[in-house]
Amino acid sequence: MAFENYTIKDIAKALNLSPSTVSRALRDSYEISIETKKMVLDYAEKINYRANPIARSLKERKSYSIGIVVSEIANNFFSQVIDGIESVAYAKNYQVVISQTHESSERERLNVEHLYSRSTDGLLMALSAETVDTTYLEDLMKKGFPIVFFDRVPAQLRSHKVIADNRQGGFEAVQYLAKKGRKKIAHLTGAKKLSITIERLEGYKTALMANGLDFSPSLVKYCQYGGLHQQEIEQAVAELSQEDYDAIFVSGDKLTTGYLQAMKEREDVNVHHVMIAGFTNSKVVSIFSPTITAIRQPAFEMGERAAELLIQQIESKHAVEEFQTVVLPTVLIEQK
Amino acid sequence: MAFENYTIKDIAKALNLSPSTVSRALRDSYEISIETKKMVLDYAEKINYRANPIARSLKERKSYSIGIVVSEIANNFFSQVIDGIESVAYAKNYQVVISQTHESSERERLNVEHLYSRSTDGLLMALSAETVDTTYLEDLMKKGFPIVFFDRVPAQLRSHKVIADNRQGGFEAVQYLAKKGRKKIAHLTGAKKLSITIERLEGYKTALMANGLDFSPSLVKYCQYGGLHQQEIEQAVAELSQEDYDAIFVSGDKLTTGYLQAMKEREDVNVHHVMIAGFTNSKVVSIFSPTITAIRQPAFEMGERAAELLIQQIESKHAVEEFQTVVLPTVLIEQK
DNA sequence: GTGAAAGCGCTAACAG
DNA sequence: CTGTTAGCGCTTTCAC
């Protein structure tokens, strides 16, 4: 079941050259004469020669591929980030390898190690909801393996980071609800320790205060897996139904749709009584019922920026010492 | 920027063994004594040795990874298929590499060639909407490179295939609408030449006939990119608005949500006048408005089956000559 | 301007 | 049971 492909040796033999000359010609080295180059290139073209990237990787310790680690591709936000990453990567001749953690820190570690040992040249990642220990990432980074984080970033690690302005997003969402006259605004959010959870909660609190509303811990519900399991949302909704709230700010893509679903399934609550604002990058918010106000993250751009930073770091001659944190604004979209 | 990792040689040196002995011990070869194995394994564990899969791939012409080629991961159906593939692949110790074509046949070709040359051991793919020429795939398959198709499969190629029962799905959808008393049932569908388009159209026609309804070509609208561009859907909806239809059968995930959006944006039509049934694997159909009846494909299972067939083919000693086409039933889900 | 030779890390005859 | 050797396809000194 072997499929014979042409190698540099084959070309060398056919053209009565040495493999090294062919290699150099193919890479357009200055040492090789124009005629030889043309001859080699023409022949390579003719036989449809494809260099073996595996061999090249082994030799060069570089693969021109970058890894992506996200929790779920079935998440509007992440799939849009990936599109942004791809657009930059392809333009710079890097391949992209995508992997999912499904919010499991074990799976995350396996994926990272695999991508690392497969000689991806660097990683773009958003931490899983479960992840607390990031020392293995730190170890890799110390070895010189470039990792750029986006969305869910580790506070304790020094690296490039690209995030949305989550405080602003949270603030604007809650501000919006408050201006509509809502007095008891609940908050449904993800894993407690994630950066995005913390920042959005801050925005929520600031907006409450700015509008003279009290903060009530019982109105804040956490979902450890960020809504990956519908059951955790239902639980939160059940708990919230004990409270007399008139609006809610939801802090994530899956949580937002999951909340709508959970509400629809409950007979005891009036779905349209609660005003909803939530983080979501769904492209079909307009067909959701009940109507919601969406906080949208610049996902595509986030992917682009993160990929640019990563490739820059990969290609830099010296170890990068100055790390950037790029913060992108969120957008609030009201439904008619 | 090189990161030193331990190699087999390092272990050999430290333990006063030859590299081959170490290699064999690591691979649990029967030739090696228990004591040596233990010694090697312990030491490897201690220094946290990781085999270099690149070197192994180069040597073995096998990478224990399989490639996936789909049009969009931001598609409920495809992301669920991918989850199914992953579940099987991981269980059998294969890694998975995902790539997107965005319905471009050029991108598809680039992705396939990349995955092939990167020594993925085989491919799981659903054709892009644009693809007509599949000869390059045939060439690869002739060389012995295993490809299993799912969902959008090429009629002319001999290979394993896993598809949903698209005729049945189409039939049931239209049957449902007819039983509800609808008389003029339109059909919104994808690229004309795709297998899924053809089969679902057949189901549509059969159901019309079975219910004594006439087939009218002007009620069938094709979207060349399967709804990837909202504009093509809007165009179709605009055309359909000239027709006096009371129900519609939509033939794809993006098309279904896209149709709902397009209807919502048009002021001239009464959204709730048209009864809708459509293929979609969205997990949030229940929060769509207007309400639709969903035809769901067993996406996860499709991924599982396809992955099983592929791995089986990869690991088979002889060239596979007998190809299967697995057909999985669709499920109709009515909303309350 | 071109070739010979070594080596990336691993595996697998072949010898002993 | 273990070691020696060659080689996967490519790049890259170092010669000439």
Side-chain angles (χ1 to χ4, degrees):
Chain A
M1 189 127 304
F3 7 104
E4 310 305 332
N5 277 330
Y6 294 102
T7 72
I8 274 189
K9 273 190 195 167
D10 297 324
I11 301 184
K13 208 169 291 173
L15 264 36
N16 258 314
L17 292 169
S18 76
S20 41
T21 302
V22 175
S23 170
R24 279 185 277 238
L26 254 14
R27 327 202 72 218
D28 199 28
S29 159
Y30 66 94
E31 303 170 276
I32 305 295
S33 72
I34 312 240
E35 301 84 52
T36 309
K37 272 186 194 163
K38 179 157 171 35
M39 187 169 73
V40 170
L41 258 16
D42 285 354
Y43 185 73
E45 164 90 335
K46 186 180 140 216
I47 64 173
N48 192 27
Y49 167 80
R50 306 276 133 164
N52 181 332
I54 298 272
R56 192 152 177 245
S57 291
L58 180 59
K59 182 71 186 170
E60 297 193 337
R61 276 105 189 297
K62 180 141 172 39
S63 66
Y64 291 94
S65 66
I66 59 184
I68 303 181
V69 181
V70 296
S71 57
E72 296 269 303
I73 56 174
N75 175 307
N76 304 296
F77 170 67
F78 286 127
S79 58
Q80 289 164 34
V81 173
I82 290 172
D83 287 350
I85 295 172
E86 279 187 349
S87 75
V88 169
Y90 288 154
K92 306 206 174 191
N93 283 309
Y94 279 77
Q95 279 294 327
V96 154
V97 180
I98 304 162
S99 75
Q100 312 188 67
T101 66
H102 300 286
E103 307 290 13
S104 147
S105 55
E106 189 195 339
R107 184 79 250 165
E108 178 172 273
R109 187 175 181 139
L110 286 171
N111 288 349
V112 169
E113 297 212 324
H114 173 259
L115 290 168
Y116 170 68
S117 68
R118 269 263 153 221
S119 295
T120 43
D121 300 333
L123 241 48
L124 290 163
M125 73 185 289
L127 296 177
S128 89
E130 252 184 30
T131 302
V132 283
D133 182 8
T134 55
T135 50
Y136 77 103
L137 294 171
E138 205 173 348
D139 291 345
L140 288 180
M141 289 160 70
K142 272 190 199 142
K143 285 192 192 177
F145 187 59
I147 304 183
V148 173
F149 295 92
F150 62 90
D151 189 45
R152 299 136 165 228
V153 303
Q156 65 281 12
L157 297 188
R158 296 190 58 238
S159 72
H160 288 315
K161 294 168 188 173
V162 184
I163 56 177
D165 191 338
N166 292 301
R167 285 185 195 80
Q168 173 222 347
F171 180 85
E172 284 179 4
V174 176
Q175 175 84 353
Y176 175 86
L177 297 170
K179 291 294 177 220
K180 290 286 183 185
R182 303 296 160 142
K183 298 295 180 202
K184 297 205 63 173
I185 304 173
H187 182 32
L188 178 65
T189 187
K192 259 189 185 167
K193 289 183 182 162
L194 283 179
S195 55
I196 52 176
T197 304
I198 295 167
E199 293 164 6
R200 290 169 194 174
L201 179 62
E202 280 180 30
Y204 167 75
K205 285 183 179 171
T206 312
L208 287 184
M209 208 174 314
N211 287 277
L213 300 172
D214 285 339
F215 170 71
S216 155
S218 63
L219 283 180
V220 179
K221 300 295 175 197
Y222 296 90
C223 291
Q224 209 186 334
Y225 290 95
L228 187 62
H229 311 299
Q230 183 62 15
Q231 179 270 325
E232 53 176 348
I233 299 181
E234 281 162 12
Q235 160 101 30
V237 169
E239 287 175 27
L240 277 176
S241 72
Q242 307 298 314
E243 311 283 335
D244 156 46
Y245 67 112
D246 57 9
I248 188 166
F249 161 48
V250 192
S251 167
D253 221 297
K254 291 229 140 188
L255 286 170
T256 300
T257 48
Y259 175 77
L260 294 179
Q261 275 183 294
M263 288 296 273
K264 199 144 245 175
E265 272 169 23
R266 292 179 70 87
E267 310 269 323
D268 60 308
V269 279
N270 178 353
V271 177
H272 297 277
H273 170 70
V274 177
M275 190 167 209
I276 307 163
F279 269 79
T280 175
N281 270 55
S282 169
K283 290 181 175 167
V284 297
V285 209
S286 68
I287 63 171
F288 287 171
S289 161
T291 296
I292 68 168
T293 294
I295 317 300
R296 188 171 296 265
Q297 301 185 70
F300 191 90
E301 192 186 349
M302 196 181 285
E304 288 180 316
R305 299 293 293 274
E308 279 162 8
L309 285 170
L310 179 64
I311 292 175
Q312 183 185 312
Q313 187 176 349
I314 289 171
E315 295 182 345
S316 107
K317 304 277 176 250
H318 326 285
V320 175
E321 288 300 338
E322 306 245 317
F323 293 107
Q324 300 180 35
T325 295
V326 177
V327 181
L328 303 172
T330 60
V331 180
L332 184 142
I333 298 171
E334 191 177 358
Q335 294 302 312
K336 288 165 271 188
Chain B
M1 191 127 301
F3 7 106
E4 310 304 331
N5 276 330
Y6 293 101
T7 73
I8 274 189
K9 273 190 191 166
D10 297 326
I11 302 184
K13 209 168 289 174
L15 263 36
N16 257 313
L17 291 169
S18 77
S20 44
T21 304
V22 175
S23 171
R24 281 186 275 239
L26 253 16
R27 328 198 73 219
D28 200 27
S29 158
Y30 65 96
E31 305 171 274
I32 305 296
S33 73
I34 312 237
E35 302 83 51
T36 308
K37 273 185 194 165
K38 182 161 170 31
M39 188 169 72
V40 170
L41 259 14
D42 285 354
Y43 185 73
E45 164 90 336
K46 186 180 140 217
I47 63 172
N48 192 28
Y49 167 79
R50 308 275 132 165
N52 181 331
I54 297 272
R56 193 155 174 238
S57 290
L58 181 59
K59 180 72 187 169
E60 296 194 335
R61 276 100 190 297
K62 181 144 171 36
S63 65
Y64 291 94
S65 66
I66 59 185
I68 303 180
V69 181
V70 295
S71 58
E72 295 270 302
I73 55 175
N75 175 307
N76 303 296
F77 170 68
F78 286 127
S79 57
Q80 289 164 35
V81 172
I82 291 172
D83 287 350
I85 294 172
E86 280 188 349
S87 76
V88 169
Y90 288 153
K92 306 207 174 190
N93 282 312
Y94 279 77
Q95 280 294 326
V96 154
V97 180
I98 305 161
S99 74
Q100 312 187 68
T101 66
H102 300 287
E103 307 290 12
S104 147
S105 55
E106 189 196 338
R107 184 79 249 164
E108 179 172 271
R109 186 174 182 141
L110 286 172
N111 288 349
V112 168
E113 298 213 324
H114 173 257
L115 290 168
Y116 169 69
S117 68
R118 271 261 152 222
S119 295
T120 43
D121 300 333
L123 240 48
L124 291 163
M125 72 183 290
L127 296 177
S128 89
E130 253 184 27
T131 302
V132 282
D133 182 9
T134 55
T135 49
Y136 77 102
L137 295 171
E138 205 173 349
D139 291 345
L140 288 180
M141 290 160 70
K142 271 190 199 143
K143 285 191 192 178
F145 187 60
I147 305 182
V148 173
F149 294 92
F150 62 89
D151 189 46
R152 300 139 165 224
V153 303
Q156 64 280 15
L157 297 188
R158 296 189 59 236
S159 72
H160 289 315
K161 295 169 187 171
V162 185
I163 55 177
D165 192 339
N166 292 302
R167 285 184 195 79
Q168 172 223 349
F171 180 85
E172 284 181 4
V174 176
Q175 175 84 350
Y176 175 86
L177 296 170
K179 291 294 177 219
K180 290 284 183 184
R182 303 296 160 142
K183 298 295 178 202
K184 299 206 59 171
I185 304 173
H187 182 31
L188 179 64
T189 188
K192 257 188 186 167
K193 290 183 182 162
L194 284 179
S195 55
I196 53 176
T197 303
I198 295 166
E199 293 165 7
R200 290 171 193 173
L201 179 63
E202 280 181 30
Y204 167 75
K205 286 183 179 172
T206 313
L208 287 184
M209 208 175 313
N211 287 277
L213 299 173
D214 285 339
F215 170 71
S216 155
S218 63
L219 283 180
V220 179
K221 299 295 175 198
Y222 296 91
C223 292
Q224 207 186 335
Y225 289 95
L228 187 63
H229 311 299
Q230 184 63 13
Q231 179 271 324
E232 52 176 348
I233 299 180
E234 281 161 13
Q235 159 103 31
V237 168
E239 288 175 26
L240 277 176
S241 72
Q242 307 298 314
E243 312 283 332
D244 156 46
Y245 68 112
D246 58 8
I248 188 166
F249 160 49
V250 193
S251 170
D253 219 296
K254 291 230 141 188
L255 286 170
T256 300
T257 48
Y259 175 76
L260 293 179
Q261 274 182 296
M263 287 296 272
K264 198 144 248 177
E265 272 169 22
R266 292 179 69 87
E267 310 269 323
D268 60 309
V269 279
N270 178 354
V271 179
H272 297 277
H273 170 69
V274 177
M275 191 167 209
I276 307 163
F279 270 78
T280 175
N281 270 55
S282 169
K283 290 181 175 165
V284 297
V285 210
S286 67
I287 62 171
F288 288 170
S289 162
T291 296
I292 68 168
T293 295
I295 317 300
R296 190 171 295 265
Q297 301 185 71
F300 191 89
E301 193 187 348
M302 196 180 287
E304 288 180 315
R305 300 294 291 276
E308 280 162 6
L309 285 170
L310 179 64
I311 292 175
Q312 183 186 311
Q313 187 176 348
I314 289 171
E315 295 182 346
S316 110
K317 303 277 177 251
H318 326 286
V320 175
E321 288 300 338
E322 307 245 315
F323 293 108
Q324 298 181 35
T325 295
V326 177
V327 181
L328 303 173
T330 60
V331 180
L332 183 142
I333 298 172
E334 191 178 357
Q335 294 302 312
K336 287 165 273 185

Short mmCIF file of all heavy atoms in Angstrom, two decimals, chain A residues 161-198:
data_model
loop_
_atom_site.label_atom_id
_atom_site.label_comp_id
_atom_site.label_asym_id
_atom_site.label_seq_id
_atom_site.Cartn_x
_atom_site.Cartn_y
_atom_site.Cartn_z
N LYS A 161 -1.17 37.99 23.90
CA LYS A 161 -2.57 37.65 24.17
C LYS A 161 -3.48 38.54 23.34
O LYS A 161 -3.18 39.72 23.13
CB LYS A 161 -2.89 37.87 25.65
CG LYS A 161 -2.14 36.92 26.58
CD LYS A 161 -2.24 37.32 28.04
CE LYS A 161 -1.30 36.44 28.86
NZ LYS A 161 -1.21 36.88 30.26
N VAL A 162 -4.55 37.97 22.87
CA VAL A 162 -5.55 38.76 22.14
C VAL A 162 -6.92 38.49 22.74
O VAL A 162 -7.36 37.34 22.78
CB VAL A 162 -5.57 38.40 20.64
CG1 VAL A 162 -6.53 39.31 19.89
CG2 VAL A 162 -4.18 38.50 20.03
N ILE A 163 -7.54 39.52 23.23
CA ILE A 163 -8.82 39.33 23.88
C ILE A 163 -9.81 40.41 23.46
O ILE A 163 -9.43 41.43 22.89
CB ILE A 163 -8.68 39.38 25.42
CG1 ILE A 163 -8.01 40.70 25.84
CG2 ILE A 163 -7.88 38.21 25.93
CD1 ILE A 163 -7.90 40.87 27.34
N ALA A 164 -11.06 40.15 23.75
CA ALA A 164 -12.06 41.19 23.56
C ALA A 164 -12.10 42.03 24.83
O ALA A 164 -11.64 41.60 25.89
CB ALA A 164 -13.42 40.57 23.30
N ASP A 165 -12.66 43.20 24.69
CA ASP A 165 -12.80 44.04 25.87
C ASP A 165 -14.02 43.55 26.65
O ASP A 165 -15.12 44.07 26.52
CB ASP A 165 -12.97 45.51 25.46
CG ASP A 165 -12.84 46.43 26.67
OD1 ASP A 165 -13.04 45.95 27.80
OD2 ASP A 165 -12.55 47.61 26.48
N ASN A 166 -13.78 42.54 27.44
CA ASN A 166 -14.89 41.86 28.11
C ASN A 166 -15.57 42.73 29.16
O ASN A 166 -16.78 42.62 29.37
CB ASN A 166 -14.38 40.57 28.75
CG ASN A 166 -13.98 39.54 27.71
OD1 ASN A 166 -14.81 39.15 26.90
ND2 ASN A 166 -12.74 39.11 27.72
N ARG A 167 -14.79 43.56 29.81
CA ARG A 167 -15.39 44.47 30.79
C ARG A 167 -16.37 45.41 30.09
O ARG A 167 -17.50 45.58 30.51
CB ARG A 167 -14.31 45.28 31.50
CG ARG A 167 -13.54 44.48 32.52
CD ARG A 167 -12.56 45.35 33.28
NE ARG A 167 -11.60 44.50 33.97
CZ ARG A 167 -10.55 43.93 33.40
NH1 ARG A 167 -10.30 44.14 32.11
NH2 ARG A 167 -9.74 43.15 34.09
N GLN A 168 -15.88 45.99 29.01
CA GLN A 168 -16.73 46.90 28.25
C GLN A 168 -17.99 46.17 27.77
O GLN A 168 -19.11 46.68 27.91
CB GLN A 168 -15.95 47.41 27.03
CG GLN A 168 -16.78 48.24 26.06
CD GLN A 168 -16.48 47.89 24.58
OE1 GLN A 168 -15.51 47.22 24.26
NE2 GLN A 168 -17.36 48.34 23.70
N GLY A 169 -17.81 44.98 27.22
CA GLY A 169 -18.95 44.21 26.72
C GLY A 169 -19.97 43.97 27.81
O GLY A 169 -21.17 44.16 27.62
N GLY A 170 -19.48 43.53 28.96
CA GLY A 170 -20.37 43.27 30.08
C GLY A 170 -21.06 44.55 30.54
O GLY A 170 -22.27 44.58 30.80
N PHE A 171 -20.27 45.60 30.59
CA PHE A 171 -20.81 46.88 31.04
C PHE A 171 -21.93 47.35 30.11
O PHE A 171 -23.04 47.67 30.55
CB PHE A 171 -19.70 47.93 31.08
CG PHE A 171 -20.17 49.28 31.53
CD1 PHE A 171 -20.26 49.58 32.88
CD2 PHE A 171 -20.57 50.25 30.60
CE1 PHE A 171 -20.73 50.82 33.31
CE2 PHE A 171 -21.04 51.48 31.01
CZ PHE A 171 -21.12 51.77 32.37
N GLU A 172 -21.65 47.34 28.83
CA GLU A 172 -22.64 47.83 27.87
C GLU A 172 -23.92 47.01 27.87
O GLU A 172 -25.02 47.54 27.74
CB GLU A 172 -22.05 47.85 26.46
CG GLU A 172 -21.09 49.01 26.27
CD GLU A 172 -20.48 49.04 24.87
OE1 GLU A 172 -20.86 48.20 24.03
OE2 GLU A 172 -19.61 49.90 24.64
N ALA A 173 -23.76 45.70 28.01
CA ALA A 173 -24.93 44.84 28.04
C ALA A 173 -25.83 45.21 29.20
O ALA A 173 -27.04 45.40 29.05
CB ALA A 173 -24.48 43.37 28.15
N VAL A 174 -25.23 45.34 30.36
CA VAL A 174 -26.01 45.60 31.57
C VAL A 174 -26.53 47.04 31.57
O VAL A 174 -27.66 47.32 31.99
CB VAL A 174 -25.16 45.30 32.82
CG1 VAL A 174 -25.92 45.65 34.09
CG2 VAL A 174 -24.76 43.82 32.82
N GLN A 175 -25.70 47.93 31.08
CA GLN A 175 -26.11 49.32 30.92
C GLN A 175 -27.38 49.38 30.06
O GLN A 175 -28.35 50.08 30.37
CB GLN A 175 -24.96 50.08 30.23
CG GLN A 175 -25.25 51.52 29.89
CD GLN A 175 -25.01 52.44 31.08
OE1 GLN A 175 -24.74 51.98 32.19
NE2 GLN A 175 -25.13 53.73 30.85
N TYR A 176 -27.35 48.65 28.99
CA TYR A 176 -28.48 48.61 28.06
C TYR A 176 -29.76 48.15 28.77
O TYR A 176 -30.82 48.77 28.66
CB TYR A 176 -28.14 47.66 26.91
CG TYR A 176 -29.29 47.44 25.94
CD1 TYR A 176 -29.51 48.31 24.88
CD2 TYR A 176 -30.15 46.36 26.10
CE1 TYR A 176 -30.55 48.11 24.00
CE2 TYR A 176 -31.20 46.15 25.23
CZ TYR A 176 -31.40 47.03 24.17
OH TYR A 176 -32.45 46.82 23.31
N LEU A 177 -29.62 47.08 29.53
CA LEU A 177 -30.78 46.54 30.25
C LEU A 177 -31.29 47.53 31.28
O LEU A 177 -32.49 47.74 31.45
CB LEU A 177 -30.41 45.21 30.93
CG LEU A 177 -30.00 44.06 29.99
CD1 LEU A 177 -29.43 42.89 30.77
CD2 LEU A 177 -31.19 43.61 29.14
N ALA A 178 -30.35 48.18 31.97
CA ALA A 178 -30.72 49.13 33.00
C ALA A 178 -31.45 50.32 32.40
O ALA A 178 -32.45 50.81 32.93
CB ALA A 178 -29.48 49.58 33.76
N LYS A 179 -30.94 50.80 31.28
CA LYS A 179 -31.56 51.95 30.62
C LYS A 179 -32.97 51.63 30.15
O LYS A 179 -33.80 52.52 29.94
CB LYS A 179 -30.72 52.41 29.42
CG LYS A 179 -29.38 53.02 29.78
CD LYS A 179 -29.53 54.35 30.55
CE LYS A 179 -28.17 54.91 30.98
NZ LYS A 179 -28.21 55.50 32.33
N LYS A 180 -33.23 50.36 29.93
CA LYS A 180 -34.57 49.93 29.55
C LYS A 180 -35.47 49.82 30.78
O LYS A 180 -36.60 49.32 30.69
CB LYS A 180 -34.51 48.58 28.83
CG LYS A 180 -33.89 48.64 27.45
CD LYS A 180 -34.83 49.27 26.43
CE LYS A 180 -34.20 49.25 25.04
NZ LYS A 180 -35.03 49.96 24.05
N GLY A 181 -34.92 50.19 31.91
CA GLY A 181 -35.75 50.22 33.11
C GLY A 181 -35.73 48.95 33.95
O GLY A 181 -36.49 48.81 34.91
N ARG A 182 -34.85 48.03 33.59
CA ARG A 182 -34.80 46.79 34.37
C ARG A 182 -34.08 47.02 35.69
O ARG A 182 -33.07 47.73 35.74
CB ARG A 182 -34.09 45.68 33.56
CG ARG A 182 -34.76 45.43 32.22
CD ARG A 182 -36.19 44.92 32.41
NE ARG A 182 -37.00 45.11 31.22
CZ ARG A 182 -37.90 44.21 30.82
NH1 ARG A 182 -38.14 43.09 31.51
NH2 ARG A 182 -38.63 44.46 29.75
N LYS A 183 -34.61 46.43 36.74
CA LYS A 183 -34.07 46.69 38.08
C LYS A 183 -33.34 45.49 38.66
O LYS A 183 -32.43 45.64 39.47
CB LYS A 183 -35.22 47.06 39.03
CG LYS A 183 -35.98 48.32 38.64
CD LYS A 183 -35.08 49.55 38.73
CE LYS A 183 -35.83 50.82 38.32
NZ LYS A 183 -34.90 51.88 37.90
N LYS A 184 -33.80 44.31 38.30
CA LYS A 184 -33.16 43.12 38.87
C LYS A 184 -32.54 42.31 37.74
O LYS A 184 -33.20 41.47 37.12
CB LYS A 184 -34.20 42.29 39.63
CG LYS A 184 -34.78 43.07 40.82
CD LYS A 184 -35.30 42.13 41.90
CE LYS A 184 -34.20 41.28 42.51
NZ LYS A 184 -34.63 40.49 43.66
N ILE A 185 -31.29 42.58 37.52
CA ILE A 185 -30.60 41.98 36.39
C ILE A 185 -29.73 40.82 36.85
O ILE A 185 -28.80 41.00 37.63
CB ILE A 185 -29.73 43.04 35.68
CG1 ILE A 185 -30.62 44.23 35.26
CG2 ILE A 185 -29.02 42.43 34.48
CD1 ILE A 185 -29.87 45.41 34.71
N ALA A 186 -30.05 39.64 36.37
CA ALA A 186 -29.28 38.45 36.73
C ALA A 186 -28.08 38.30 35.80
O ALA A 186 -27.95 39.02 34.80
CB ALA A 186 -30.17 37.22 36.65
N HIS A 187 -27.22 37.35 36.15
CA HIS A 187 -26.03 37.11 35.32
C HIS A 187 -25.77 35.61 35.26
O HIS A 187 -25.60 34.95 36.28
CB HIS A 187 -24.83 37.84 35.92
CG HIS A 187 -23.56 37.70 35.12
ND1 HIS A 187 -23.54 37.57 33.75
CD2 HIS A 187 -22.26 37.69 35.50
CE1 HIS A 187 -22.29 37.47 33.34
NE2 HIS A 187 -21.49 37.53 34.38
N LEU A 188 -25.77 35.10 34.03
CA LEU A 188 -25.46 33.68 33.83
C LEU A 188 -24.10 33.61 33.14
O LEU A 188 -23.90 34.20 32.08
CB LEU A 188 -26.54 33.04 32.94
CG LEU A 188 -26.33 31.56 32.59
CD1 LEU A 188 -26.39 30.69 33.83
CD2 LEU A 188 -27.39 31.11 31.57
N THR A 189 -23.20 32.86 33.76
CA THR A 189 -21.83 32.89 33.21
C THR A 189 -21.14 31.54 33.30
O THR A 189 -21.74 30.55 33.74
CB THR A 189 -21.02 34.00 33.91
OG1 THR A 189 -19.75 34.15 33.28
CG2 THR A 189 -20.83 33.69 35.38
N GLY A 190 -19.89 31.50 32.86
CA GLY A 190 -19.16 30.24 32.73
C GLY A 190 -18.30 29.87 33.92
O GLY A 190 -18.62 30.22 35.06
N ALA A 191 -17.22 29.20 33.65
CA ALA A 191 -16.35 28.70 34.72
C ALA A 191 -15.73 29.87 35.50
O ALA A 191 -15.25 30.83 34.91
CB ALA A 191 -15.24 27.83 34.13
N LYS A 192 -15.77 29.75 36.79
CA LYS A 192 -15.40 30.84 37.68
C LYS A 192 -14.03 31.43 37.44
O LYS A 192 -13.83 32.63 37.57
CB LYS A 192 -15.45 30.35 39.14
CG LYS A 192 -16.71 30.80 39.85
CD LYS A 192 -16.64 30.49 41.33
CE LYS A 192 -17.99 30.84 41.96
NZ LYS A 192 -18.17 30.34 43.31
N LYS A 193 -13.08 30.57 37.11
CA LYS A 193 -11.70 31.06 37.08
C LYS A 193 -11.25 31.58 35.72
O LYS A 193 -10.16 32.13 35.60
CB LYS A 193 -10.76 29.94 37.54
CG LYS A 193 -10.91 29.67 39.01
CD LYS A 193 -9.94 28.62 39.47
CE LYS A 193 -10.15 28.33 40.95
NZ LYS A 193 -9.54 27.04 41.34
N LEU A 194 -12.05 31.38 34.72
CA LEU A 194 -11.63 31.85 33.39
C LEU A 194 -11.56 33.36 33.36
O LEU A 194 -12.38 34.06 33.97
CB LEU A 194 -12.62 31.37 32.33
CG LEU A 194 -12.53 29.91 31.90
CD1 LEU A 194 -13.59 29.59 30.86
CD2 LEU A 194 -11.15 29.58 31.35
N SER A 195 -10.59 33.84 32.60
CA SER A 195 -10.40 35.28 32.49
C SER A 195 -11.67 35.97 31.99
O SER A 195 -12.07 37.02 32.50
CB SER A 195 -9.25 35.57 31.52
OG SER A 195 -9.48 34.94 30.26
N ILE A 196 -12.32 35.36 31.00
CA ILE A 196 -13.50 36.01 30.43
C ILE A 196 -14.63 36.10 31.45
O ILE A 196 -15.36 37.08 31.49
CB ILE A 196 -14.00 35.28 29.16
CG1 ILE A 196 -14.19 33.79 29.41
CG2 ILE A 196 -13.05 35.50 28.00
CD1 ILE A 196 -14.78 33.04 28.23
N THR A 197 -14.75 35.08 32.28
CA THR A 197 -15.78 35.11 33.31
C THR A 197 -15.57 36.27 34.28
O THR A 197 -16.48 37.04 34.58
CB THR A 197 -15.77 33.78 34.11
OG1 THR A 197 -15.91 32.70 33.20
CG2 THR A 197 -16.88 33.76 35.14
N ILE A 198 -14.33 36.37 34.72
CA ILE A 198 -13.98 37.39 35.70
C ILE A 198 -14.19 38.80 35.14
O ILE A 198 -14.81 39.66 35.76
CB ILE A 198 -12.50 37.21 36.13
CG1 ILE A 198 -12.36 35.88 36.86
CG2 ILE A 198 -12.05 38.38 37.00
CD1 ILE A 198 -10.93 35.41 37.07
#
